[in-house]
Amino acid sequence: MNKNRIALTLGIVCVILTIAICVQVNTIKNANSTVSKTFAEDELRDEVLKWKEKYERISNELDEAEKGLAKIREESTKDDSNSTSKEEQITLNNNLLGMTNLEGPGIEMIVEDDPNEIGPLDDIYNHVVHDADLRVLVNELKNAGAEAISINGQRIVNTTAITCIGNVIKINDERITSPFTIKAIGFQESLVGIDWRAGYIQQCLRPAGIVVNIKKSNKVEIPKYTGVISAQYMNLSK
Amino acid sequence: MILIAIIIGCIIGALIGMNIPTIPYTYSGYLAIAIIAALDSVFGAITSSLKRNFDMKIFISGFFVNAILAMALTYLGQKLNVDIYLAAVVVFVGRMFNNLGTIRRYYVEKLASNKIIAKAEAAIKQANEASKSNK
């Protein structure tokens, strides 16, 4: 057997092998797996990752189906002015409910914990962003006329709660941590006003060393609400 | 020659592997067992090329069939709730150690024989010089 051919074959096989190893290493790295203590923990993590994958796939399918539905609705209501206005109303309602991905002019605000060293007598509690801070900021944005708001990709809808669980903040049952990126769509001049007016940012956040950066953007993208809107108990009053 | 080919292959593979997308986590178990099977084939090939009985057909078929068989066994094991892949890992790794042992022995013996030859050559040279000076 020719030695060069052996070498060539082995080289090609090694290429395949190393590609496979790299892909595997990257996959495991992406799966965020830390060293686990027990076998059961491993199994549970596997299970969670598999469900997550399944969930993502199904939610992608749902997205596709919704797009198809919107198209069908558009086509079927094209010729009828009455149903066209109904269609517009449905779209508007969905936008307001948070069921759609939105974009438009607005602001992007980044709120971060105090980056400076904290003195020995100082309490760290005063230098981190709390759930209450985010609630006030959302309120200020709404007061300034924001039409849609998201924090770290979590859409603020009318059932959204911003709560504190230990050292992270929970929005729409998802955990998020500092830095917080708050996006809002609305009249830009009025929205940036919360930066300099004598309000919460100027009087409470900045004095505590918390970093707040606001910048205007003509294309703010706000994702839709991915949770479930429950309507189990409410009925129309007679 | 073979060593250079393997190193170049590994470098190219790593460069490509870093830049292609990852696979879903569900299938990473199958890929892992396939990697073990392929590694076993590569070590087997190195050993047989040292022994000069390397057969291309056997190597290529072993490379792919072993990997596919190992993946199929892993799948079957998952369906039956038995960790069959452990058996595949034990067999492949055991064989890998055997092959590594053969490779190691080959080079150790080669080194030792090289030393003996060098010694013998030195002795011959000395003898020659001695006979020359005697004349």
Side-chain angles (χ1 to χ4, degrees):
Chain A
M1 178 53 72
N2 188 351
K3 214 168 182 188
N4 283 344
R5 265 182 73 189
I6 300 177
L8 188 67
T9 322
L10 273 178
I12 292 170
V13 165
C14 280
V15 170
I16 301 175
L17 189 59
T18 357
I19 290 176
I21 291 174
C22 285
V23 168
Q24 175 77 352
V25 168
N26 280 341
T27 307
I28 299 295
K29 217 190 281 168
N30 282 359
N32 271 338
S33 66
T34 46
V35 181
S36 65
K37 286 171 200 133
T38 60
F39 189 64
E41 207 177 307
D42 250 1
E43 293 240 298
L44 282 175
R45 181 172 297 119
D46 265 18
E47 202 73 357
V48 168
L49 282 167
K50 275 175 197 165
W51 278 110
K52 213 168 166 186
E53 250 172 47
K54 221 174 190 175
Y55 175 79
E56 271 165 20
R57 207 172 47 231
I58 289 174
S59 101
N60 278 346
E61 272 173 27
L62 180 68
D63 271 2
E64 291 292 312
E66 269 174 3
K67 263 179 210 164
L69 182 65
K71 215 173 191 179
I72 291 170
R73 273 208 314 247
E74 206 171 288
E75 270 171 19
S76 59
T77 58
K78 209 159 43 182
D79 307 323
D80 190 347
S81 67
N82 192 15
S83 45
T84 309
S85 69
K86 280 271 185 323
E87 165 68 21
E88 272 164 11
Q89 212 164 18
I90 289 174
T91 312
L92 175 66
N93 283 342
N94 278 343
N95 290 351
L96 288 174
L97 271 176
M99 309 291 282
T100 48
N101 293 322
L102 300 176
E103 62 173 58
I107 59 158
E108 281 182 34
M109 167 158 56
I110 292 171
V111 185
E112 232 175 312
D113 294 345
D114 188 358
N116 298 318
E117 196 88 5
I118 287 157
L121 294 177
D122 227 347
D123 190 355
I124 188 154
Y125 188 85
N126 301 324
H127 296 273
V128 296
V129 182
H130 294 284
D131 51 329
D133 300 332
L134 292 183
R135 282 198 295 269
V136 173
L137 285 176
V138 166
N139 202 35
E140 293 234 344
L141 283 170
K142 281 182 175 171
N143 183 36
E147 291 169 2
I149 303 170
S150 76
I151 302 181
N152 282 18
Q154 291 302 320
R155 178 77 167 265
I156 306 296
V157 293
N158 60 352
T159 54
T160 297
I162 301 175
T163 50
C164 172
I165 42 167
N167 53 359
V168 291
I169 289 173
K170 206 167 75 167
I171 299 182
N172 292 342
D173 279 331
E174 293 279 342
R175 290 142 189 250
I176 61 167
T177 51
S178 169
F180 303 98
T181 308
I182 305 177
K183 293 178 179 178
I185 293 178
F187 181 50
Q188 283 177 334
E189 304 307 326
S190 136
L191 287 177
V192 289
I194 71 164
D195 193 5
W196 46 261
R197 85 178 182 88
Y200 196 70
I201 294 175
Q202 284 295 357
Q203 290 177 336
C204 299
L205 290 183
R206 292 233 167 88
I210 287 166
V211 183
V212 183
N213 278 319
I214 299 184
K215 71 170 199 277
K216 287 188 207 171
S217 168
N218 286 327
K219 196 185 171 197
V220 177
E221 284 179 5
I222 291 189
K224 68 180 179 185
Y225 175 61
T226 50
V228 179
I229 295 175
S230 139
Q232 232 180 321
Y233 298 101
M234 52 188 186
N235 292 310
L236 273 178
S237 58
K238 281 157 196 163
Chain B
M1 182 70 198
I2 290 175
L3 201 69
I4 296 168
I6 289 174
I7 292 171
I8 291 175
C10 287
I11 292 171
I12 295 174
L15 286 180
I16 299 174
M18 292 293 175
N19 295 315
I20 59 174
T22 58
I23 53 163
Y25 185 79
T26 322
Y27 304 120
S28 69
Y30 298 107
L31 187 60
I33 202 79
I35 289 172
I36 303 277
L39 261 181
D40 167 56
S41 291
V42 168
F43 279 118
I46 296 171
T47 311
S48 60
S49 76
L50 288 180
K51 285 181 175 168
R52 301 190 189 290
N53 58 357
F54 180 87
D55 187 334
M56 186 75 80
K57 281 181 213 129
I58 290 178
F59 171 57
I60 297 288
S61 64
F63 182 78
F64 289 107
V65 174
N66 273 355
I68 292 169
L69 204 66
M71 283 196 270
L73 275 179
T74 312
Y75 179 73
L76 181 70
Q78 259 184 7
K79 290 286 154 216
L80 297 179
N81 199 17
V82 182
D83 294 334
I84 296 180
Y85 70 91
L86 284 178
V89 168
V90 169
V91 170
F92 287 133
V93 175
R95 267 183 18 190
M96 246 190 265
F97 273 111
N98 271 342
N99 288 331
L100 274 174
T102 313
I103 296 168
R104 174 175 47 85
R105 199 162 300 141
Y106 175 85
Y107 280 109
V108 168
E109 276 167 10
K110 202 175 170 184
L111 210 70
S113 66
N114 278 353
K115 255 184 193 165
I116 290 170
I117 290 169
K119 242 183 205 171
E121 274 175 352
I124 291 168
K125 224 179 186 179
Q126 228 172 10
N128 279 344
E129 273 168 14
S131 66
K132 250 183 214 170
S133 60
N134 278 349
K135 271 176 193 172

